[in-house]
Amino acid sequence: MRKIAVPILSLFALLAILSSCGGGSDSSTAESTEKPTSMVAEEEAPIEVSADGSTVTVRLTGDDMMKYNLDKIEVKAGQKIKLTLTHIGKMNKEVMGHNFVLLNPGVDVQAFANEATKFKGQDYIPESMKGDIIAHTSLVGSGESTTVEFDAPAPGTYKYICSFPAHYITMHGELVVN
Ligand SMILES: [Cu+2]
């Protein structure tokens, strides 16, 4: 596969050089149609802004290695955020549950996460620290998805974590609101 791919790529490069010399518009059209074809094989963009700029769709994933796919999410003030968390691992939510909890600035993440461990029956969302939470999803296990919609908070940097016991150590990131 790779052995074939390299000569094809260099052939395209050669064609691109030749076509730029000749100024042929047909060749450049052919080249631009090649690019989307190769992108189709890849996954959807994890962060997508609607055409009118009002809504940001965030596709966050969590796996069996206690990792999110995104450690930074950048949005603009005033945008609506539609965040979907999908568990792409094989483990169930009893042993490898994931959620998304967006915290207010200044919250002690470790203290919050420690308190959250007491709330297993509430998807590890600590009722006692609700004032620290801007938005959160439910807890998901293998193959499950959960979506939360919220308005981007005031410009600044906000931390998000998975509040399943001990997951905050590796499952965390920053929401940057510009
Ligand atoms: Cu988790």
Side-chain angles (χ1 to χ4, degrees), residues 4-93:
I4 298 164
V6 172
I8 287 173
L9 274 176
S10 47
L11 187 64
F12 269 104
L14 190 65
L15 281 172
I17 293 162
L18 288 174
S19 67
S20 66
C21 293
S25 59
D26 289 349
S27 310
S28 61
T29 307
E31 191 194 4
S32 66
T33 53
E34 282 301 319
K35 281 175 184 171
T37 310
S38 62
M39 282 173 76
V40 166
E42 291 171 27
E43 289 171 17
E44 288 179 295
I47 299 173
E48 197 178 310
V49 183
S50 65
D52 65 3
S54 66
T55 306
V56 182
T57 299
V58 180
R59 299 180 181 97
L60 187 66
T61 64
D63 61 18
D64 287 341
M65 306 298 285
M66 289 191 284
K67 289 289 241 178
Y68 285 134
N69 60 330
L70 299 170
D71 57 13
K72 189 178 182 185
I73 299 168
E74 237 177 312
V75 300
K76 289 180 184 147
Q79 284 179 321
K80 184 173 278 296
I81 299 168
K82 189 178 170 189
L83 182 144
T84 299
L85 170 65
T86 303
H87 193 308
I88 58 169
K90 298 209 183 318
M91 297 165 93
N92 66 42
K93 72 177 178 184

Side-chain angles (χ1 to χ4, degrees), residues 97-98 162 164 167 171:
H98 299 313
C162 171
F164 189 93
H167 284 199
M171 297 187 79

